[in-house]
Amino acid sequence: GQELPVSQEELAKIGKAKLQEDFFAAFCQGKMTEAELPTSAKRAGLPERFSFAAACQITLRGWQVRREQFTDEDLASFQQAFREMCQTFLAHQQPEVFGQSFPVQAETGRWGLLLFFPHAVSQAAILQRLQALCQKLSVLTKRYFDLPLVLVLSAPQTNWLALQNAWQAMAERAESLFYLPQGLYHIEDLPILQTQAPSVEGLSVEELCEQLTKTPLTRQARMDFLHQCLADEDAAALQALADAESLPAFLAALRTKLTALQSARQLHPSVRQALAILEAHYRENLTQAEIAAEVHLNPAYFSTLFKKNMGKGFREYLAELRITAVKKHLRSSTERIKDIAAAEGFDDYPYFCRLFKSLVGQTPQEYRAKP
C-alpha cells in the first residue's frame, strides 16, 4: 500500500518531541553552556527565561517487580501513560506553573520534572507551591499506577545554568535514594554515603541488618559488604542482592539468604548429603530406606535425624520438592498437566491433584491460569 503523507502538523510534533528529547539528554549530562541553554530550551518548546524554576527527580518504588512483568511493548506504553499523566496534571496547574516531565532512566523507573514559574513571586511561596504539587503528583501516581514515589526537589533557581547545576547535584546523590522511604525530600535531606563497608566479624543476622540501617553505603561498599558476609555465594546471587531498589527489599533478601546459610551450616552432615541426593534425583522413585542406606545410617535413626534437622518428615519434604518443580514447569510449558506431574515424579495423578490443592491452595489448572 502507499504511504500516507505526513501532515506538516505531524512533522512539527515529531520534530518538537525529538528536540525535547535531545535537550533533556544534554541537560541531564550537564553538557550545555550558559549561552546554549536558553536557545536550546526555546527550540524544545521550553521557556527561554523565567522568574524561578525547580527540578524534581522522580523515582518509582516497586518498579523492579513491575518491570519484570513487562514486555518491551508494555514498558513503552507505561512510559507514554506516565508521561501523559504528568503532562495532564501540569496542564491543569496553569497559568502560574508550566512544567515538563522526561524519562531519565527508563530501566530503573527514574524520571525528571522541570517546573517553571514565569511570574515573579517570592521564593518562600514557590517552595510551598512545589511541595503541594509534588504531593498531588504522588497521590495521582499511586491512584493510577499503584506505585509510590520518592521525590527529590531542588531549590528554586533563577536561570538555566543554575537549574542544570541543581539537576547535576541531585543526580550525583541518586544512589542515596536507596536508603529513603517513599516521600518528598530536598537535596540536603539525602543521606551522605560511606565508601567503607563495616566489618561483619562475629555479628548475628540481626546485628548485620542493624549495622546496614545505621550506615548508609555506596553501592560498591554494599557489594564489598556482601562479599564479606556471603563469601561462598556466586557473583550472580550477590549482584541480584545488590540490585535491590530499596533498603527494606535488600534487608529482606539478605535475611533470607543468611538464615538459609546458617541453617545449612547447622545441618547434620548426613542430612546435608541426603538433601543433595534428593535435589538431584527427586523425580525418581526414591524410598527413605534407600537414601538412609546411601548415607550409611539405619532407616529409623535417619528418619528421626531428618525430621529433627528439617522440621518435617522425609516424605513430606520430597512431596514439597516435587510440587515446587511442578509449579515452575506449569508456568514455563504448555504440556498436559498429567505429563508434567509424571515428569516430576508423581505417578499417581489423583494423589498429585489432591496434594497440589492442599499445598498450593489452588488446583494445578487454576495455578496455571493465574499469572
Side-chain angles (χ1 to χ4, degrees):
Q2 243 183 332
E3 288 277 324
L4 286 173
V6 182
S7 72
Q8 288 299 109
E9 201 179 328
E10 281 297 301
L11 274 175
K13 237 183 180 167
I14 294 164
K16 176 64 59 75
K18 180 77 181 91
L19 281 169
Q20 254 182 26
E21 205 174 296
D22 293 348
F23 173 82
F24 284 121
F27 176 82
C28 286
Q29 288 162 0
K31 289 234 171 116
M32 289 181 282
T33 64
E34 190 167 4
E36 289 168 340
L37 277 158
T39 27
S40 308
K42 190 179 179 182
R43 273 209 306 276
L46 299 165
E48 196 174 351
R49 275 180 291 281
F50 41 81
S51 298
F52 287 107
C56 177
Q57 186 177 290
I58 300 170
T59 304
L60 304 173
R61 268 291 147 81
W63 175 248
Q64 272 186 346
V65 177
R66 187 73 55 93
R67 177 66 187 102
E68 277 158 21
Q69 299 160 354
F70 277 173
T71 61
D72 288 346
E73 214 169 282
D74 293 337
L75 179 64
S77 57
F78 174 89
Q79 280 189 276
Q80 194 179 344
F82 188 79
R83 196 173 198 153
E84 280 169 7
M85 179 204 74
C86 288
Q87 290 310 122
T88 309
F89 161 69
L90 290 164
H92 287 134
Q93 309 306 318
Q94 288 173 333
E96 70 275 42
V97 183
F98 170 76
Q100 188 68 46
S101 67
F102 52 99
V104 179
Q105 279 178 321
E107 284 307 306
T108 57
R110 281 187 50 222
W111 287 72
L113 186 62
L114 295 185
L115 291 154
F116 302 95
F117 298 83
H119 311 299
V121 255
S122 76
Q123 195 156 344
I126 287 179
L127 274 171
Q128 265 187 326
R129 192 73 216 282
L130 283 169
Q131 301 260 37
L133 286 169
C134 287
Q135 305 280 252
K136 278 190 204 162
L137 192 58
S138 287
V139 170
L140 283 177
T141 308
K142 188 83 182 95
R143 184 185 305 156
Y144 290 121
F145 301 108
D146 195 27
L147 288 168
L149 296 183
V150 178
L151 300 160
V152 182
L153 262 181
S154 78
Q157 309 295 335
T158 54
N159 63 61
W160 270 108
L161 188 64
L163 190 61
Q164 184 176 253
N165 292 341
W167 177 268
Q168 288 307 306
M170 288 200 296
E172 278 161 23
R173 303 283 294 277
E175 261 197 38
S176 60
L177 302 187
F178 177 87
Y179 289 92
L180 298 176
Q182 66 188 71
L184 177 60
Y185 301 89
H186 295 280
I187 193 157
E188 57 276 11
D189 303 333
L190 304 185
I192 307 284
L193 300 183
Q194 312 290 318
T195 53
Q196 196 62 46
S199 163
V200 301
E201 278 308 301
L203 295 182
S204 70
V205 174
E206 275 322 305
E207 285 166 340
L208 278 176
C209 293
E210 171 81 5
Q211 189 78 295
L212 279 170
T213 313
K214 285 200 313 229
T215 319
L217 302 173
T218 61
R219 189 190 148 79
Q220 185 50 55
R222 271 202 311 280
M223 277 302 275
D224 299 343
F225 182 84
L226 288 174
H227 279 295
Q228 279 191 68
C229 300
L230 304 163
D232 314 331
E233 284 294 304
D234 63 348
L238 293 181
Q239 193 64 39
L241 267 174
D243 283 341
E245 64 175 9
S246 65
L247 183 66
F250 176 75
L251 291 179
L254 184 64
R255 272 195 185 96
T256 306
K257 202 53 133 181
L258 289 170
T259 311
L261 262 181
Q262 282 190 351
S263 35
R265 285 187 191 127
Q266 287 157 5
L267 290 178
H268 187 283
S270 299
V271 173
R272 251 212 309 273
Q273 203 184 338
L275 292 179
I277 297 168
L278 284 176
E279 198 63 51
H281 301 283
Y282 68 85
R283 297 179 177 89
E284 297 161 28
N285 197 0
L286 298 170
T287 67
Q288 183 164 293
E290 286 167 345
I291 301 287
E294 281 279 334
V295 299
H296 314 295
L297 291 177
N298 90 40
Y301 177 60
F302 174 73
S303 170
T304 311
L305 190 64
F306 191 94
K307 186 152 195 176
K308 185 178 157 200
N309 274 247
M310 300 306 297
K312 57 186 70 161
F314 175 86
R315 283 189 53 149
E316 190 187 343
Y317 181 84
L318 180 57
E320 285 178 11
L321 198 58
R322 287 173 175 164
I323 291 290
T324 303
V326 169
K327 281 161 70 179
K328 270 192 193 151
H329 206 141
L330 282 171
R331 286 276 159 89
S332 62
S333 126
T334 52
E335 290 169 69
R336 290 191 327 166
I337 294 174
K338 193 170 189 171
D339 295 340
I340 289 176
E344 298 298 357
F346 290 105
D347 41 14
D348 179 342
Y349 187 64
Y351 163 72
F352 157 75
C353 291
R354 286 196 304 278
L355 180 69
F356 193 98
K357 178 87 181 3
S358 80
L359 288 178
V360 184
Q362 295 172 307
T363 65
Q365 289 82 351
E366 289 167 343
Y367 179 81
R368 178 180 247 174
K370 269 208 174 131

